[in-house]
Every structure is written in C-alpha cells, then in structure tokens.
Amino acid sequence: MAPKSARRRQLEAAALYPLDWVEERTGLVGGIKYFLFRHVPRDTNWMQTLGAATLTAFLVQTVTGVFLAMYYKPDPQNAYSSIQHITHEVTLGWLVRGMHKWGASVFIILMFFHMARVFLFGAYKYPRELNWIVGSLLLVLGMLEGFTGYLLPWDQTAYWATAVGINLNATAPFLGPFLANFLQGGAQIGPDTIARFYSLHMLLIPGGLIGLIVLHMYLVVRLGVTSPPWSPTAAGRERPDESKPEGARQGLIRSGDGQDEGH
Amino acid sequence: MAESKLKRTQRENHKRYKEDVKREGKPFFPYAMFHDTIMALVVVLVIIALACVWYFTAKHAKDGVGALGPLTSAKADPGTTSFVPRPDWFFYFLFYLLRVFKWPDSVFLGTVGIPTILLVLLIGLPFYDRRTERRLLRRPVAIVTAILVVLSMGVLTWKGAIAKESVGAENVQFVPAWAKKQGFEDNAKAVAGAKVFASLTCMTCHAYLGAGSSGPGPDLSAIAKGGRGAQGFADYVAQPSKFGNNVMPAFADIGADNLAALGEFLNASKGATATKK
C-alpha cells in the first residue's frame, strides 16, 4: 500500500503544481476560491438569480456578436446583403443572428426585472448606493447598445427608426445638434453613420459595459448579498433579546428617526 | 446630529449582517450557484426558442412576416418611401412621450427634459431615500411610486406600440378631397405635390385636414399662411436644419421635381376655410 499512496501523493502534487504556480504569481486562485466559497445568506431566493440571468444574456450577446462581426459588412452598399447572407446562407447564421436580435430584448427585460428586485428588497441602501449607480449606468449603456445596434441591418425599419432617433437627440439644447452631427458623421444618415454606429456598438459601449459589470460584481462580492427583507432569519436582523453592550443597544433604539423601531 | 445617528445605525446593521452571513450563511458554491446555473440555462433556452420561432414562422409565412415579425424589412431607402418610423420596443415609452408634448415649443420636454429628470431621479435614489427600512409594507411612498412608475411606463409602451401612424398608401386616397377642400383641383403641380406628401413619411409626424399624426410636427392644413412661398417651402423641406429646425429630417433625397411639387402643394394649403370663397 505504501508505494501506491506515495504515487498518489506525487500525482496530486503534479496536478496541483500549475495551480500553485499561478497562485504564487497572481493570487488569482485564492480570489476564485474566495468568490466560490464566500457565504451568502441562507434565505436567498430565486428572485436573486436575476443578476446572473442578466449576465448570461449579456454573455450570449458577446458570443453571438463576435460571430456576426465575422460576416457583417458595415457600409450602406453591403450591410443589407451581408445580413441576408448571414440569415439565409451561413450555416446556422439565422440562429446566431436570431439569438443576438432576441437576446437584446431579453437582456433589456432582465435588466429591468433585476432592478425591480433590487428596489423591492431595498438593496440599494447603505452600503450599496454605488452599486445602484453602476447598475443604472449599465441600464443606460444597455439601451444605447439597443439604439446603435438597431441601425446595423440597414433595412427600412432600422433606417427610419434611427433617422427619428438622431433627430430627437438634436432637440437637446446646446449639445444636441453637435451630438446629432457626430452620430451621423454629416448632415444626413450615410456611409459614415453606419461605421460610427458599428464602432460604438461593438467597441466603445461593450467596453464600458464589461468594465462596469466587473465593478458591479466586485461590489456584490465585497458588500454581500441581501436577505429578503421579510425573512424571519434575515442576515443582519435586529435581535431585541440578545444581550448586547448597553451603549450599542441604546444607539440602535434611538437611531433611524423613529422609522426603524417597533418590530 | 441625526445624520451621525443614521450613519451609526447603518454601520452597526451592516456589521451585524456580515457576522450573520459568516455564521449562518451557506457557501455560494454549490448552493446559490446551483440556482444561478439553472436560471442561466433557462435564459439561453428562451433566447434560442425566440430565435427559432422568429426564423421558422417567418420562413414559412407567405408574406414573410412570422409570429415575431419579418426576418428583415426591405433595404433602407432614404429617397422614396412610405415607411412608418418606429423605434425598438424599449423606446416606445419615449416615442409616445413625443405625442404627449406637442410641437414645437414643448417637444424638447419629451425628447430630453423628462428622460433627463427620470434618469437623475433613478441614479439619485439611494441618496434621497436614506431610511434603513427595507420591508415593503413599511415603505409606502416607495411602493406607491414603484406602482405608478410601472403603470405609466407600461401604458406609454403599450400606447407607443399601438399608435396608429397612417400609411402612405392609405393617405393617397385623401388627395382628391384635399384638392377640393383647399381649392387647388386645377393646379396639377399642387395635386402632384399632395400625392408626394401623402406617400412620403410626412404624415407620421404631421396632420393634414384631420388625417395623419397630431405630433410631433405641426398641423399643415393652413401652412401657406406662413407665407414662405412655393420655393421657400421646397427649400425648407429639403434641409430643415438650415432654417433652425433640427427635429425634422432632411428630404433633399426625394429630388428637385418632388420638392417643387411639394412646395406648390404646401403653398396652396390655406386651410379648409379658404374654400368658402
């Protein structure tokens, strides 16, 4: 038995060696372990999977978007025909385009649902204020993705919706006309518009989204997930029976401007 | 003073939360992650299902419009079109706000004013709702506001979705009646212009003698009273931004003949009362 267990030890050491190597140089393994094995409240429920659901929809958009970009041609002469090519000729092109088109709507809906959950749980309150702001910016960027992506198929729906959208931007005081001119790349929608929208749609806005998503998740891990506020075993609940230092108890009772007591 | 008490409560509550989670909580993996993974699978499956329904129903429909709409509409054509502009569904509420605020003075409120105010209110939420209470029944203002916001967004989205924009092909039938009411029946150029007006996208933003859309553009039934003259109207429509109008799209693409006819037609539009002479 002894030789076998020695061999087993060797194998384990060999298998773990790359992990140890990476950990020694980056500390990332420890970070991932912390992420996976950190505790969350015992009473978290299905509503709290909406954030993960939104992230999934975003990942679907990035993966399908990468494949669409391999076939799409961002200029007025070829855009429409390249979309036709993707839809009708490329193997499973219809599926990739369909998932991107409908994934966009799913992404937006899930962002709204996730936001509603955070609102209902009061989870935007101290110390999670910044994460609410990051989330709001993610919602705005997500809708801008929708706006810039809508033009790209270069069909009538796309063209006229964007014409109206750009003209609405132009009604803003001072900056409006400049913004409209910048988006169009000229006085009217043309070849430059489609290139600009494409660049914004797949470089600038997604870059911002990815950066903010990383920050969003970092803050979730750092600050923790809230318990449902109605849960009798909510983490952080007040326990009147528990003996606590006199000063702390008094501080709790007096605080909250009369709103938080009496339950 | 009250401020510092609030801060102390907040910090104590969060400290207690951290201790509770450490002591009573469950590890994210595998418990919470199991639920997250199932939810992620559901999301991917729903997206695939939508893509399949969209593609296969449109492919087998005779007119190419499936249960979830067509695969694409016709290729973009900046020139001649009777296409109804419609944004993606999640902008319907903004789209409909434009109909609530009438052109021209208050349209700025609908396009920029209200959305900016809403955005500031959204981002600022944690800073004006500073109470520590999280239970819904003890947050009456929050719950009523939430219901009102959801209802109004829902209604605006729904109204935006069903807003009836007139289609060019339907509007052309009005042309003889317009010519009679406005008294330009014997002006062939004005009649041609009326047909251009009816078949372009004009009436998705403008009303004319009771037809078309009441916003965001003004009613054009009596526009001739502005006194621009036929050529003036043609120039205006070709490039509205030259006249300080940054909302209306430019129509220079429709060609000089159409523009001239359109100018003649607008110059003949003196309002229905003009026919009583």
Side-chain angles (χ1 to χ4, degrees):
Chain A
M1 289 311 279
K4 201 176 173 185
S5 81
R7 199 174 159 194
R8 195 187 160 88
R9 267 206 309 278
Q10 268 181 334
L11 272 175
E12 275 173 3
L16 284 177
Y17 181 77
L19 281 183
D20 290 340
W21 192 92
V22 171
E23 169 66 8
E24 192 178 341
R25 281 157 185 82
T26 63
L28 276 180
V29 178
I32 291 170
K33 271 188 189 164
Y34 177 78
F35 175 79
L36 286 178
F37 299 109
R38 77 201 145 99
H39 277 198
V40 295
R42 190 154 282 280
D43 47 11
T44 54
N45 68 22
W46 279 100
M47 284 168 85
Q48 282 157 298
T49 62
L50 283 167
T54 314
L55 179 65
T56 308
F58 178 75
L59 293 177
V60 168
Q61 292 307 94
T62 54
V63 173
T64 52
V66 165
F67 284 102
L68 287 176
M70 293 176 182
Y71 294 94
Y72 178 71
K73 298 188 176 63
D75 67 87
Q77 275 75 44
N78 299 310
Y80 186 73
S81 55
S82 71
I83 291 287
Q84 296 293 338
H85 176 61
I86 290 169
T87 314
H88 297 294
E89 287 159 25
V90 177
T91 309
L92 289 182
W94 64 269
L95 180 64
V96 175
R97 187 182 155 225
M99 285 178 74
H100 199 74
K101 177 182 165 72
W102 292 100
S105 290
V106 170
F107 179 51
I108 302 254
I109 291 176
L110 285 173
M111 279 198 288
F112 274 108
F113 281 0
H114 177 52
M115 193 172 80
R117 197 283 295 172
V118 171
F119 183 84
L120 294 181
F121 278 38
Y124 53 88
K125 300 187 174 202
Y126 177 92
R128 302 183 178 84
E129 298 98 324
L130 257 183
N131 222 12
W132 173 267
I133 295 178
V134 173
S136 304
L137 296 178
L138 283 169
L139 179 70
V140 172
L141 286 185
M143 291 183 77
L144 286 179
E145 275 291 73
F147 177 67
T148 49
Y150 206 61
L151 175 71
L152 301 181
W154 202 245
D155 59 0
Q156 289 284 62
T157 325
Y159 182 88
W160 289 102
T162 307
V164 173
I166 288 181
N167 286 317
L168 296 184
N169 277 323
T171 63
F174 311 119
L175 284 179
F178 292 102
L179 183 64
N181 220 321
F182 167 75
L183 283 174
Q184 283 179 165
Q188 274 175 287
I189 296 187
D192 289 343
T193 321
I194 206 167
R196 270 165 205 228
F197 272 51
Y198 189 51
S199 161
L200 293 175
H201 183 74
M202 60 173 258
L203 294 171
L204 187 66
I205 305 177
L209 276 171
I210 290 169
L212 287 176
I213 287 172
V214 169
L215 179 59
H216 202 63
M217 289 177 64
Y218 167 76
L219 288 176
V220 168
V221 172
R222 181 184 163 84
L223 301 171
V225 179
T226 49
S227 282
W230 56 80
S231 164
T233 55
R237 65 189 176 278
E238 290 181 23
R239 299 173 181 79
D241 307 330
E242 228 170 81
S243 60
K244 283 195 171 175
E246 190 69 14
R249 288 281 303 144
Q250 279 178 352
L252 275 176
I253 286 166
R254 276 207 228 105
S255 63
D257 301 333
Q259 304 284 10
D260 292 333
E261 291 113 37
H263 47 77
Chain B
M1 192 63 193
E3 173 87 0
S4 74
K5 267 185 196 166
L6 177 66
K7 270 186 189 161
R8 201 164 63 217
T9 319
Q10 287 175 333
R11 287 191 186 124
E12 276 164 2
N13 283 352
H14 191 61
K15 187 162 169 272
R16 202 167 56 240
Y17 161 84
K18 281 284 188 188
E19 288 163 3
D20 283 356
V21 169
K22 202 169 187 180
R23 197 174 55 242
E24 306 170 349
K26 57 188 179 186
F28 174 72
F29 176 85
Y31 299 103
M33 196 161 170
F34 173 67
H35 288 120
D36 283 345
T37 309
I38 290 182
M39 194 64 176
L41 281 175
V42 170
V43 168
V44 173
L45 288 177
V46 166
I47 294 174
I48 291 177
L50 283 168
C52 289
V53 170
W54 166 74
Y55 178 71
F56 288 111
T57 57
K59 200 181 171 193
H60 295 119
K62 283 197 182 86
D63 55 356
V65 181
L68 294 174
L71 296 179
T72 48
S73 55
K75 187 179 177 181
D77 180 2
T80 54
T81 178
S82 57
F83 202 82
V84 178
R86 184 62 66 85
D88 211 349
W89 65 268
F90 45 86
F91 289 117
Y92 280 171
F93 72 102
L94 285 178
F95 174 72
Y96 198 76
L97 264 185
L98 297 180
R99 283 173 173 40
V100 178
F101 294 95
K102 292 297 179 209
W103 177 264
D105 306 316
S106 60
V107 79
F108 156 74
L109 281 179
T111 55
V112 185
I114 299 229
T116 306
I117 292 170
L118 288 180
L119 196 59
V120 169
L121 284 178
L122 178 78
I123 290 180
L125 173 65
F127 299 99
Y128 56 82
D129 177 16
R130 296 173 59 83
R131 294 168 51 213
T132 52
E133 180 59 61
R134 295 202 298 124
R135 280 162 304 179
L136 264 189
L137 290 178
R138 288 166 192 255
R139 294 160 61 208
V141 178
I143 202 168
V144 169
T145 314
I147 290 171
L148 286 180
V149 167
V150 169
L151 274 183
S152 50
M153 293 275 281
V155 167
L156 284 175
T157 300
W158 181 68
K159 294 275 251 180
I162 61 159
K164 270 220 187 303
E165 264 78 2
S166 31
V167 179
E170 294 165 9
N171 289 331
V172 173
Q173 63 178 347
F174 297 131
V175 170
W178 291 346
K180 202 171 177 186
K181 278 189 187 166
Q182 300 272 26
F184 60 75
E185 287 159 296
D186 36 359
N187 183 344
K189 205 175 173 189
V191 173
K195 281 180 183 156
V196 172
F197 176 79
S199 55
L200 283 181
T201 54
C202 309
M203 296 182 73
T204 57
C205 295
H206 293 286
Y208 192 84
L209 293 179
S213 167
S214 57
D219 189 319
L220 297 179
S221 311
I223 190 71
K225 285 174 183 163
R228 246 176 230 287
Q231 189 56 43
F233 282 123
D235 292 344
Y236 190 98
V237 172
Q239 196 62 266
S241 58
K242 275 188 194 159
F243 299 85
N245 182 342
N246 286 314
V247 180
M248 181 171 154
F251 286 91
D253 282 334
I254 64 174
D257 289 348
N258 283 337
L259 281 170
L262 208 50
E264 189 71 29
F265 158 68
L266 290 173
N267 199 38
S269 301
K270 301 184 171 76
T273 49
T275 56
K276 284 174 187 166
K277 62 186 172 184

